[in-house]
Amino acid sequence: MLFPFSEAPRSAASDDPGSSYLTRKLDQHFELGPREQASLQRFLQARVQTVDTGVSIVEEGDAPREIHVILSGWACRTRRASNGRYQILAFHLPGDVCDFGAFAMRRSDSSIVAQTPLRVASIGQAALRDLSGSSPRLAQAFWRESAAAASVQREWLVRICQQNARQRVASLFSELAARLYVVGLADDAGFALPLTQADIGNACGLTPEHTNRTLRELRTGGLVAFERGRVEFLCWDALIELAGFRGDYLGFRTLAAEKPPAELDLVAHML
Amino acid sequence: MLFPFSEAPRSAASDDPGSSYLTRKLDQHFELGPREQASLQRFLQARVQTVDTGVSIVEEGDAPREIHVILSGWACRTRRASNGRYQILAFHLPGDVCDFGAFAMRRSDSSIVAQTPLRVASIGQAALRDLSGSSPRLAQAFWRESAAAASVQREWLVRICQQNARQRVASLFSELAARLYVVGLADDAGFALPLTQADIGNACGLTPEHTNRTLRELRTGGLVAFERGRVEFLCWDALIELAGFRGDYLGFRTLAAEKPPAELDLVAHML
DNA sequence: CGTACTGTTGATCAAAGTCAATTGAGGTGG
DNA sequence: CCACCTCAATTGACTTTGATCAACAGTACG
């Protein structure tokens, strides 16, 4: 079956060794049975590799050979612009499925570069076909991830076209917080952000210098602090107020839930 | 079969009454046999509707009910930003498949609004499943369209982050020219562009006033003229030079062809 | 004919970019 | 352990692009 999307109740998060981040995200939407969990395990563990910081797992222009799931670490998607500079197009966080539709294109339109030491699972075309054949649920889940990523991509355009520097950084931080929160890598205090100020600026369409000043404004303004590779929330309410952040475009269930779980303090503010 | 992508030789363009634009695009990549052509016909003709200018075929926040193929006319995808303004995220041209992955999401993250009188084919979830079941080739083709749209979406970000006003407009015009050219709606002289200056500006992250001045610069500079709803190329070479335009991100075969057909003068310059 | 867009122009302003230096922190080799 | 190197962060001075504000003109249409 190809297009059988429907809702399913939410299961408690499991903690599989190799795919816990992904499982946590998928639990947002899909009750994965033990067979599917095992199936997912198997497919992810088949081809796991470690990648050093700065190394590409996909190179712009290459023919797509496989898709990837980030098991741990950060990666970012970049494209070389006509002026020779690189543009950061997206961040791929633990649990993210990168490039689900890659096999549909002759060539990759962008690179994926490890931003930290990375553990990635690679899934070839044949394996992906097997996976979707053996578990339509997983295919659905992957597809949903892909659709959510497209929605995030669009939000990045809105961010750059409609917001000023402070708002851009604030909304990027909010987005990352929400996405990391879902996989347990952010809490109400903050999260680790393995990027330079220049990277943050690039993703927001700002120069490094201006990013620096913007970050200072946010810090002295008592909103967020980015220091030593960590984002610390100083006043979450003020942050999402400035960012105009609503998490709905991320497609998470909890962010649009009827009855948000009590412990999700951070998330509750995103509604 | 879900993921069986492969290359196929190119067929001559056919001129089916209802789906000629789409067929023309798909011919870029897939040799569609008569059975598939007929199948496509059938699915597209099942639910065709006419939509007036300004009317939405998809509303942000709605649950996705169907995906759409633009049979004729222009539409644009918009999202409401936190500041209350609308942002144009994409243009949907004749032959475009809108929102292939829509069923994967609970809610639409953006609206699709008719920019001209529109003829659209609607395909529900069940019909889409049938279509992909009866013709994997068509599913592949739709998927490729979807992946190409994602690539275009990324290019819009690069455009805004890396280019100045003149370059943005120039590269948008180049992109639209290439996409319209493939479906026969642009030639070496120009193409119809049913947008206001404000729309063009919005898509490029510019104010209407500045867009006006930018268009004048492009016109007096002898690059392109946008007048009375038409874009006229004054100097194509200078235009794509300024835009830094390379059509490869569009994923068209002819734009990356080894031996570009002789008659594709305009396209040849895009390499 | 008004009414309402759309396009056009001018004057002014501010946000962000650019250029140039300096500081700081982490890592390496002597 | 320290000198040294490199890269990231920081700060300042200055410039520029594009936004903003304010009219006004052309055009379309009921």
Side-chain angles (χ1 to χ4, degrees):
Chain A
M1 274 202 306
L2 231 187
F3 304 96
F5 292 109
S6 62
E7 299 301 333
R10 182 151 160 271
S11 74
S14 72
D15 38 56
D16 306 304
S19 60
S20 61
Y21 293 124
L22 177 56
T23 307
R24 260 183 107 143
K25 265 216 301 184
L26 298 189
D27 276 341
Q28 287 279 329
H29 305 293
F30 298 92
E31 170 94 27
L32 293 182
R35 259 188 48 204
E36 276 150 339
Q37 299 244 0
S39 184
L40 181 59
Q41 279 292 318
R42 188 157 38 80
F43 279 105
L44 291 182
Q45 287 173 352
R47 308 245 317 278
V48 173
Q49 55 182 319
T50 310
V51 179
D52 290 336
T53 303
V55 174
S56 300
I57 53 180
V58 171
E59 197 74 53
E60 185 176 344
D62 285 358
R65 308 183 52 75
E66 48 213 357
I67 68 168
H68 302 87
V69 174
I70 310 285
L71 299 179
S72 68
W74 280 52
C76 62
R77 179 182 293 270
T78 64
R79 183 181 288 184
R80 180 162 224 142
S82 57
N83 60 11
R85 290 211 269 265
Y86 285 94
Q87 176 61 44
I88 294 178
L89 300 165
F91 294 118
H92 295 299
L93 316 182
D96 278 5
V97 179
C98 306
D99 238 351
F100 179 57
F103 296 128
M105 295 291 272
R106 245 193 338 273
R107 314 196 156 282
S108 298
D109 65 287
S110 44
S111 303
I112 300 178
V113 186
Q115 201 65 26
T116 68
L118 215 58
R119 286 203 321 130
V120 290
S122 302
I123 306 178
Q125 194 164 345
L128 188 56
R129 200 179 310 137
D130 289 350
L131 180 144
S132 68
S134 70
S135 169
R137 264 285 187 59
L138 285 178
Q140 291 168 34
F142 274 38
W143 203 343
R144 186 186 273 266
E145 287 302 309
S146 159
S151 178
V152 168
Q153 190 70 77
R154 289 188 272 269
E155 186 64 15
W156 281 41
L157 192 71
V158 177
R159 172 178 303 141
I160 306 237
C161 288
Q162 301 287 347
Q163 302 195 295
N164 64 30
R166 253 164 300 127
Q167 293 176 310
R168 291 183 207 176
V169 174
S171 63
L172 177 64
F173 283 0
S174 304
E175 176 190 306
L176 293 174
R179 290 169 60 190
L180 289 168
Y181 194 82
V182 173
V183 292
L185 290 173
D187 56 32
D188 291 6
F191 57 89
L193 180 63
L195 300 173
T196 64
Q197 293 185 353
D199 294 329
I200 296 168
N202 184 295
C204 292
L206 300 171
T207 58
E209 295 92 330
H210 198 62
T211 307
N212 181 283
R213 292 184 243 263
T214 302
L215 285 169
R216 183 182 15 159
E217 285 176 30
L218 291 174
R219 183 167 8 95
T220 60
L223 299 179
V224 256
F226 171 61
E227 276 158 346
R228 261 162 288 114
R230 259 194 77 80
V231 169
E232 304 282 352
F233 305 128
L234 304 179
C235 178
W236 176 257
D237 287 343
L239 181 66
I240 64 172
E241 162 74 19
L242 173 68
F245 183 72
R246 300 179 65 243
D248 46 5
Y249 70 90
L250 296 170
F252 294 140
R253 164 183 291 237
T254 44
L255 291 177
E258 311 69 52
K259 39 157 195 146
E263 77 273 18
L264 298 185
D265 294 326
L266 187 152
V267 170
H269 290 293
M270 296 180 185
L271 307 175
Chain B
M1 273 202 308
L2 231 186
F3 303 96
F5 293 109
S6 62
E7 299 299 335
R10 181 152 161 271
S11 73
S14 70
D15 37 56
D16 306 302
S19 61
S20 61
Y21 294 124
L22 177 56
T23 306
R24 260 182 106 144
K25 266 217 300 185
L26 298 188
D27 277 341
Q28 286 279 328
H29 305 292
F30 297 91
E31 171 92 27
L32 294 182
R35 259 188 48 201
E36 276 149 339
Q37 301 245 358
S39 184
L40 182 59
Q41 279 292 316
R42 190 157 36 81
F43 279 104
L44 292 181
Q45 288 174 350
R47 308 245 315 279
V48 174
Q49 53 181 321
T50 310
V51 179
D52 290 336
T53 303
V55 173
S56 300
I57 54 180
V58 171
E59 197 75 52
E60 186 177 344
D62 285 358
R65 307 184 51 76
E66 48 212 356
I67 68 167
H68 302 88
V69 174
I70 309 285
L71 300 179
S72 67
W74 280 52
C76 62
R77 179 182 294 270
T78 64
R79 183 182 288 185
R80 180 162 224 145
S82 56
N83 60 10
R85 290 211 267 264
Y86 284 95
Q87 176 61 43
I88 294 177
L89 299 164
F91 293 119
H92 295 300
L93 316 182
D96 278 4
V97 179
C98 306
D99 238 351
F100 179 57
F103 296 128
M105 295 292 271
R106 245 194 337 274
R107 314 196 157 283
S108 298
D109 65 285
S110 44
S111 303
I112 301 178
V113 185
Q115 200 64 25
T116 67
L118 214 59
R119 284 203 322 132
V120 290
S122 303
I123 306 178
Q125 194 164 344
L128 187 55
R129 199 179 311 138
D130 290 350
L131 179 144
S132 67
S134 70
S135 169
R137 263 286 186 56
L138 285 178
Q140 292 168 34
F142 274 38
W143 203 343
R144 185 186 273 266
E145 286 301 310
S146 159
S151 178
V152 169
Q153 190 72 77
R154 290 189 271 269
E155 186 64 17
W156 280 42
L157 193 71
V158 177
R159 172 178 303 143
I160 305 234
C161 289
Q162 302 286 348
Q163 301 195 297
N164 64 29
R166 253 164 300 127
Q167 292 175 310
R168 290 184 206 176
V169 173
S171 63
L172 176 63
F173 282 0
S174 303
E175 175 189 306
L176 293 174
R179 289 168 62 191
L180 289 168
Y181 193 82
V182 173
V183 291
L185 289 173
D187 55 32
D188 291 6
F191 58 90
L193 179 64
L195 299 172
T196 64
Q197 292 185 351
D199 294 329
I200 295 169
N202 184 295
C204 291
L206 301 172
T207 57
E209 296 92 331
H210 198 61
T211 307
N212 179 283
R213 291 184 244 263
T214 303
L215 285 168
R216 187 189 10 178
E217 284 175 32
L218 292 174
R219 183 164 11 93
T220 61
L223 300 180
V224 255
F226 171 61
E227 277 158 345
R228 260 160 290 113
R230 260 194 76 81
V231 169
E232 305 282 352
F233 305 128
L234 303 179
C235 178
W236 176 257
D237 287 343
L239 180 66
I240 64 172
E241 163 74 18
L242 173 68
F245 184 72
R246 301 179 64 243
D248 45 7
Y249 71 90
L250 296 170
F252 294 139
R253 161 184 291 237
T254 43
L255 291 177
E258 310 71 52
K259 39 155 195 148
E263 76 274 17
L264 298 184
D265 293 329
L266 187 150
V267 169
H269 289 293
M270 296 179 185
L271 307 174

